[in-house]
Amino acid sequence: MQFEITKEYIEKIQQLITEGKNETLQHLLEEVHYADVAELITELETDEAIYLIKLLENDVSSDVIAELDEDDRENILKGLSSKEIAEELDELDTDDAADIIGELSEKQKEEVIAHLDDVEHAKEIVELLRYDEDTAGGLMAKELVKVNENWNVLTCVKEMRAQAEEVTRVHSIYVVDDNDILKGRLSLKDLLTTSTRSPITDVFIKNVDSVNVHEAADEVAKIMQKYDLEAIPVVDEIGRLVGRITIDDIVDVIKEEAEKDYQMAAGISKDVEADDTILELTKARLPWLVLALFGGFVSVSILGGFSEAMDNYPVLFFFTPLIAAMAGNVGVQSSAIIVQGLANDSLRGSLFKRLIKEVLQSLLNGFVLAALLMSAGMFFLGFQFKVGLTVAISLISVIIIASIIGTFVPIILDKRGIDPALATGPFITTSNDIFGILIYFLIAKLILGF
Amino acid sequence: MQFEITKEYIEKIQQLITEGKNETLQHLLEEVHYADVAELITELETDEAIYLIKLLENDVSSDVIAELDEDDRENILKGLSSKEIAEELDELDTDDAADIIGELSEKQKEEVIAHLDDVEHAKEIVELLRYDEDTAGGLMAKELVKVNENWNVLTCVKEMRAQAEEVTRVHSIYVVDDNDILKGRLSLKDLLTTSTRSPITDVFIKNVDSVNVHEAADEVAKIMQKYDLEAIPVVDEIGRLVGRITIDDIVDVIKEEAEKDYQMAAGISKDVEADDTILELTKARLPWLVLALFGGFVSVSILGGFSEAMDNYPVLFFFTPLIAAMAGNVGVQSSAIIVQGLANDSLRGSLFKRLIKEVLQSLLNGFVLAALLMSAGMFFLGFQFKVGLTVAISLISVIIIASIIGTFVPIILDKRGIDPALATGPFITTSNDIFGILIYFLIAKLILGF
């Protein structure tokens, strides 16, 4: 059932563009879903893409433009005049139109808005531009179906038919009073099964979840997931219905949150993709590497401080990468579990209980690993018992400390209102490298007394 | 608008349970959403939770049970008889019921199915149990509204009313022929705006996306996201309509995929949560730590092999954690970018181009970091120029190699049908530690000639 964009297909399209065979192109793309056209567009050269966008009917090209990545869209919009952009936006729902306008320069923004044909639509888009994109207001669309609580079912159906023309998909019918205050919702099912003369007041569901227009986007996502909602009405400070958010927008929020956490854990500080430029990729990666480098300098100094151990116990220095790696891995594991727990609101119990749990768990992991280390060390690597014991005890201590740091840094960050995901990745590995090596040599000095 | 479960609220509920004040409890929980009851349940002791579940009406308690985490649900179902479980499942949609039955032991599964009251419902649940949970069949529900293409709008509306009784939310009305072959779908909007005598054939949308019952769950998620679908019909091998998948199930798939990738990057091999037992957490974490330990042994051996360098250049050994950390961090960054690109199908261009890009990017990062290292090393740490140069050249080489490994290991895994996310985390850091240290000392030997 899925449309596959092959190399041959792309070449064919490119040839038709070169030859200017507009009718063949239009005919060929008529049956193709806008999401597939968007995918095709990203495979073309920018001038070819612009040619195609201009060729398509506005109701298709606008959806294609809305579907594109921000970077791809930017390239294409550069090839369109403000009037042409406005024509595309006239076809889009207010939320998509507002998102696209929000990406334009201040100057172009004004020009495009001035060119919008439908004044009502333009007013709604301008209203949406006022909200921060990470809030309910930034996610919502103005398109919705609403009825007055004083109507009867027949009036409702008539009004809904008119309103539904403007709305792509009817999720819910919202019920408001004369002041536009949200009162409840009407299910299509009830509407189908009720006598046309019943007053709406008898039919509608009075208890309806809603969010305030300033609610944070990730909070909206949590609410919609928890209560399994496919759409949620958005109200202003005094309870007036101002828009609605649908689940497909929330899917994007969830994906972005997850990608951001993942990138932070991997030490990438900006939202980048494999196909971004080398400079963009470097900007996202280099800061973390510089952090790791400075962390590395600290461990160089620590090791330098213990250089007297080299005379009698050179083998200690062979173990530093092992100790550092274990500290890093344990720390990342602990913090990842906490970061996910915080994201899902599933962290329960007191901090003290959590501390005990981490220590017990680390002891269990630590003893298993230390036993492995001792046996492997003595049988295969053949080093002294005393050195083996030193490394083993250090390993257990380092694992305990690393897991405590890994557990509590994200909790502390979260309490201070900082994204706990920041703690994972290079931050934890670097600090645990340093603590790990320091603890290791302190214990070695205590036991071996160099 | 959100319900907040406070400590006081939990204590109140617990006291009412102890005192056996059933009516007060029922009255208190009447207005509470099942998702909130589920949250409350997880805060109670198991016997209190079971008491509450038994007290609630089946239509509420069944939703509560479906909402719980698998672990919490297991505990509670242990306290219910097979007949009681069957009574709960009778209230649930087929997909949720099948998921819950799938978690039971073989013996209890049969008992529960035998106790299901509604034979039609039971048959559908048994059918769903046949499908792998990671396929469209495993995600779909049997509840849907379908009409025959030969009916007219009036018959449709009548039939739909009857069918809609069984279905919680009507997403789409599917159109089938006499053999149940999916022909298209009917929009509620069109139905509202068409004369009742029109034949369905004139109204319905012939082009409808559908997925095969054996399609992989993540593929279904991609299709639904790409085409912005809120529900998709599922067909069998010969095109018969067998069920439908809704976007809320897909939200779960997306979240689970993202969490799995994140956990893999953090070196956690099973789906665990912060509140799992110590043993479960250890099982998920220890395998990766053992891998890292064995990787550590390899680096110990490599360093041991270069021990002659200790006489003249002891400072080289102080830099091993720094080199290893940089290799690990660069490798994880590279593989995370690739893993996300693969997950989003956004990786374009040839492997050769990607190789060139990684090398150029690494050179850029490498030179900046090497310059920092040289200046810091000479001014603050005060080591010889030759040693500084050695470390700097090694650093650049290690960054290049680590980023190439980080880029291509996930690509190769993906081509072989293995989850590329496996490459991130401890796997990449450990192998890059080893390669990093080896390259470092080989270059040092070449330049310094010990």
Side-chain angles (χ1 to χ4, degrees):
Chain A
M1 210 74 196
Q2 248 197 309
F3 179 81
E4 191 79 53
I5 294 179
T6 58
K7 216 172 163 182
E8 290 72 40
Y9 187 82
I10 297 166
E11 280 165 8
K12 190 171 152 197
I13 296 283
Q14 286 179 314
Q15 198 183 345
L16 289 171
I17 292 174
T18 318
E19 293 168 1
K21 297 218 166 133
N22 293 352
E23 268 176 48
T24 322
L25 275 169
Q26 277 167 330
H27 184 74
L28 201 65
L29 293 175
E30 213 165 25
E31 291 286 289
V32 182
H33 191 283
Y34 65 79
D36 291 312
V37 179
E39 207 177 307
L40 168 68
I41 290 269
T42 58
E43 301 284 344
L44 300 176
E45 299 297 324
T46 307
D47 52 341
E48 294 168 341
I50 293 169
Y51 185 92
L52 216 55
I53 287 284
K54 288 186 178 176
L55 190 67
L56 292 168
E57 295 291 333
N58 271 350
D59 61 332
V60 179
S61 58
S62 58
D63 282 330
V64 172
I65 290 174
E67 187 75 16
L68 290 172
D69 266 348
E70 208 177 313
D71 299 344
D72 293 324
R73 181 160 51 233
E74 197 189 327
N75 286 332
I76 286 175
L77 292 189
K78 273 183 197 152
L80 301 183
S81 70
S82 293
K83 187 161 184 304
E84 282 168 326
I85 296 176
E87 278 165 10
E88 302 288 353
L89 298 186
D90 266 327
E91 296 289 329
L92 287 175
D93 276 357
T94 45
D95 54 345
D96 292 328
D99 287 346
I100 294 175
I101 291 190
E103 293 164 19
L104 301 174
S105 67
E106 282 306 316
K107 189 172 154 283
Q108 201 171 18
K109 215 178 267 185
E110 279 174 34
E111 280 178 25
V112 169
I113 292 171
H115 277 112
L116 285 173
D117 250 355
D118 181 341
V119 181
E120 213 35 59
H121 195 228
K123 259 162 68 181
E124 290 179 340
I125 293 171
V126 171
E127 186 199 325
L128 291 183
L129 285 173
R130 288 208 317 260
Y131 301 108
D132 184 337
E133 60 171 333
D134 292 327
T135 65
L139 286 175
M140 73 182 185
K142 301 295 290 179
E143 285 82 3
L144 51 81
V145 179
K146 66 179 175 188
V147 296
N148 191 297
E149 59 174 345
N150 301 316
W151 297 348
N152 65 23
V153 170
L154 190 67
T155 333
C156 261
V157 172
K158 250 172 72 186
E159 266 294 323
M160 274 169 50
R161 282 188 188 177
Q163 292 182 26
E165 293 292 312
E166 300 287 310
V167 181
T168 331
R169 265 182 296 212
V170 180
H171 287 86
S172 269
I173 303 145
Y174 299 114
V175 180
V176 293
D177 68 9
D178 292 335
N179 293 317
D180 240 13
I181 305 279
L182 178 69
K183 287 300 188 179
R185 70 182 174 85
L186 205 57
S187 87
L188 279 168
K189 222 168 92 179
D190 290 335
L191 212 60
L192 281 173
T193 49
T194 316
S195 144
T196 47
R197 263 157 308 168
S198 319
I200 288 297
T201 338
D202 291 357
V203 191
F204 84 84
I205 304 152
K206 263 107 194 165
N207 210 336
V208 62
D209 288 298
S210 66
V211 288
N212 183 282
V213 74
H214 300 298
E215 185 72 81
D218 56 348
E219 206 48 49
V220 178
K222 273 186 197 166
I223 294 171
M224 289 187 72
Q225 280 179 79
K226 181 171 174 187
Y227 299 112
D228 256 339
L229 306 174
E230 299 192 342
I232 197 164
V234 182
V235 296
D236 67 6
E237 288 78 358
I238 57 167
R240 279 180 306 194
L241 179 63
V242 291
R244 62 110 182 80
I245 297 171
T246 50
I247 187 78
D248 52 311
D249 299 314
I250 292 303
V251 168
D252 296 338
V253 172
I254 294 170
K255 280 200 74 173
E256 275 167 31
E257 280 289 316
E259 290 193 355
K260 208 190 62 196
D261 281 3
Y262 183 72
Q263 293 192 329
M264 281 213 196
I268 303 164
S269 59
K270 275 174 47 184
D271 188 26
V272 287
E273 279 170 42
D275 288 296
D276 283 343
T277 64
I278 291 179
L279 205 67
E280 281 174 305
L281 285 164
T282 304
K283 264 196 228 162
R285 297 172 64 165
L286 194 56
W288 287 113
L289 296 178
V290 172
L291 172 79
L293 185 74
F294 282 104
F297 289 157
V298 178
S299 57
V300 170
S301 313
I302 294 174
L303 289 171
F306 287 101
S307 58
E308 72 272 20
M310 229 171 227
D311 302 332
N312 292 321
Y313 303 102
V315 73
L316 284 181
F317 287 85
F318 304 161
F319 276 95
T320 46
L322 186 152
I323 296 281
M326 296 308 284
N329 281 321
V330 168
V332 170
Q333 285 181 335
S334 298
S335 52
I337 289 174
I338 296 298
V339 168
Q340 284 204 326
L342 289 168
N344 296 330
D345 277 338
S346 69
L347 230 50
R348 297 182 203 111
S350 70
L351 286 184
F352 182 71
K353 267 196 198 155
R354 195 155 297 285
L355 178 70
I356 298 294
K357 194 171 174 182
E358 272 302 310
V359 172
L360 285 175
Q361 214 194 119
S362 307
L363 275 174
L364 187 58
N365 279 327
F367 272 109
V368 174
L369 294 168
L372 274 172
L373 179 99
M374 283 289 278
S375 30
M378 313 249 292
F379 291 113
F380 299 106
L381 306 172
F383 48 73
Q384 294 164 263
F385 175 75
K386 222 172 152 187
V387 172
L389 192 69
T390 303
V391 178
I393 291 174
S394 303
L395 186 66
I396 295 173
S397 319
V398 163
I399 287 175
I400 293 173
I401 303 285
S403 76
I404 292 174
I405 294 176
T407 300
F408 287 94
V409 170
I411 292 180
I412 293 165
L413 288 182
D414 188 57
K415 289 223 163 140
R416 298 187 159 246
I418 302 167
D419 188 343
L422 197 66
T424 52
F427 184 81
I428 283 287
T429 44
T430 303
S431 50
N432 278 352
D433 273 9
I434 296 170
F435 283 108
I437 290 170
L438 185 63
I439 292 161
Y440 169 46
F441 272 92
L442 285 175
I443 290 176
K445 196 174 174 118
L446 217 67
I447 297 179
L448 303 172
F450 42 81
Chain B
M1 210 75 197
Q2 248 196 311
F3 180 82
E4 191 79 54
I5 295 179
T6 59
K7 217 173 162 181
E8 291 71 37
Y9 187 81
I10 297 166
E11 279 165 9
K12 189 170 153 196
I13 296 282
Q14 286 179 315
Q15 200 183 343
L16 289 171
I17 292 173
T18 318
E19 293 169 1
K21 297 220 164 130
N22 294 353
E23 269 175 46
T24 322
L25 275 169
Q26 278 167 330
H27 184 73
L28 202 64
L29 293 175
E30 215 166 23
E31 291 285 289
V32 183
H33 191 283
Y34 65 79
D36 291 313
V37 180
E39 206 176 309
L40 168 69
I41 290 268
T42 57
E43 301 283 344
L44 300 176
E45 300 297 323
T46 307
D47 52 341
E48 293 169 340
I50 293 168
Y51 185 92
L52 217 56
I53 288 284
K54 287 186 179 176
L55 190 68
L56 292 168
E57 295 290 333
N58 272 349
D59 61 331
V60 179
S61 57
S62 58
D63 282 331
V64 172
I65 290 175
E67 188 74 15
L68 290 172
D69 266 349
E70 207 177 314
D71 299 344
D72 293 325
R73 180 160 52 233
E74 198 188 327
N75 285 332
I76 285 176
L77 293 189
K78 272 183 196 151
L80 301 182
S81 69
S82 295
K83 187 160 182 301
E84 283 168 326
I85 296 176
E87 279 165 11
E88 302 288 354
L89 298 187
D90 267 327
E91 296 289 331
L92 287 176
D93 276 356
T94 46
D95 55 344
D96 292 329
D99 287 347
I100 294 174
I101 291 189
E103 292 164 19
L104 302 173
S105 68
E106 282 307 315
K107 189 172 154 283
Q108 201 171 17
K109 213 178 266 184
E110 280 175 32
E111 281 178 25
V112 169
I113 292 170
H115 276 114
L116 286 172
D117 251 356
D118 182 340
V119 181
E120 212 36 58
H121 196 230
K123 260 162 66 181
E124 290 178 340
I125 293 171
V126 171
E127 185 199 324
L128 291 183
L129 285 174
R130 288 209 316 259
Y131 302 109
D132 184 338
E133 61 171 333
D134 292 327
T135 64
L139 286 176
M140 72 182 185
K142 300 295 290 180
E143 285 81 3
L144 50 81
V145 179
K146 66 179 176 188
V147 296
N148 190 298
E149 58 174 344
N150 300 317
W151 297 347
N152 66 23
V153 170
L154 190 67
T155 333
C156 261
V157 173
K158 249 172 73 185
E159 267 294 322
M160 275 169 48
R161 284 188 187 177
Q163 291 181 26
E165 293 291 314
E166 301 286 312
V167 181
T168 331
R169 264 183 296 212
V170 180
H171 286 86
S172 269
I173 303 145
Y174 299 115
V175 181
V176 294
D177 68 8
D178 291 334
N179 293 318
D180 240 13
I181 305 279
L182 179 68
K183 287 298 187 179
R185 72 183 172 82
L186 205 57
S187 87
L188 279 169
K189 221 168 92 180
D190 291 334
L191 212 59
L192 280 173
T193 50
T194 316
S195 144
T196 47
R197 263 157 307 168
S198 320
I200 289 296
T201 336
D202 291 356
V203 191
F204 83 85
I205 304 153
K206 264 106 194 165
N207 210 337
V208 62
D209 288 298
S210 66
V211 288
N212 183 284
V213 73
H214 299 297
E215 186 71 81
D218 56 347
E219 205 49 49
V220 178
K222 272 185 198 165
I223 294 172
M224 289 186 73
Q225 280 180 78
K226 179 170 175 186
Y227 299 112
D228 256 338
L229 305 174
E230 299 193 341
I232 196 164
V234 182
V235 296
D236 67 7
E237 289 78 358
I238 58 169
R240 279 179 307 196
L241 179 64
V242 291
R244 62 111 182 81
I245 297 171
T246 50
I247 187 78
D248 53 312
D249 299 314
I250 292 303
V251 169
D252 295 339
V253 171
I254 294 169
K255 280 200 75 173
E256 276 167 31
E257 280 289 318
E259 290 194 355
K260 209 190 61 196
D261 281 3
Y262 184 71
Q263 293 192 328
M264 282 214 198
I268 302 165
S269 59
K270 275 173 50 184
D271 188 27
V272 288
E273 279 170 41
D275 288 295
D276 284 343
T277 64
I278 291 180
L279 205 67
E280 282 174 303
L281 284 165
T282 304
K283 264 196 229 162
R285 296 173 63 165
L286 193 55
W288 287 114
L289 297 178
V290 171
L291 172 79
L293 185 74
F294 282 104
F297 288 156
V298 177
S299 57
V300 170
S301 312
I302 293 174
L303 289 171
F306 287 102
S307 58
E308 72 270 21
M310 230 173 227
D311 301 334
N312 293 322
Y313 302 103
V315 73
L316 284 181
F317 287 84
F318 304 161
F319 276 95
T320 46
L322 186 152
I323 295 281
M326 296 308 285
N329 280 323
V330 168
V332 170
Q333 285 181 334
S334 299
S335 52
I337 289 174
I338 296 297
V339 167
Q340 285 204 326
L342 289 168
N344 296 332
D345 276 339
S346 69
L347 230 51
R348 298 183 202 111
S350 71
L351 286 184
F352 182 71
K353 267 195 196 156
R354 195 153 296 287
L355 178 71
I356 297 295
K357 194 169 175 184
E358 273 302 310
V359 172
L360 285 176
Q361 214 193 117
S362 308
L363 276 173
L364 188 57
N365 279 326
F367 272 109
V368 174
L369 294 168
L372 274 173
L373 179 99
M374 284 288 280
S375 31
M378 312 249 294
F379 291 113
F380 299 105
L381 305 171
F383 47 72
Q384 296 164 261
F385 175 76
K386 223 171 153 188
V387 173
L389 192 70
T390 304
V391 178
I393 292 174
S394 303
L395 186 66
I396 295 173
S397 319
V398 163
I399 286 175
I400 293 173
I401 303 286
S403 77
I404 291 175
I405 294 176
T407 301
F408 287 94
V409 170
I411 292 180
I412 293 165
L413 287 182
D414 188 58
K415 289 224 163 135
R416 297 185 159 246
I418 302 167
D419 187 343
L422 197 66
T424 51
F427 184 82
I428 283 287
T429 43
T430 303
S431 50
N432 277 352
D433 274 8
I434 295 171
F435 282 109
I437 290 171
L438 185 62
I439 292 162
Y440 169 45
F441 272 92
L442 284 176
I443 289 176
K445 197 176 174 119
L446 217 68
I447 297 180
L448 305 172
F450 43 81

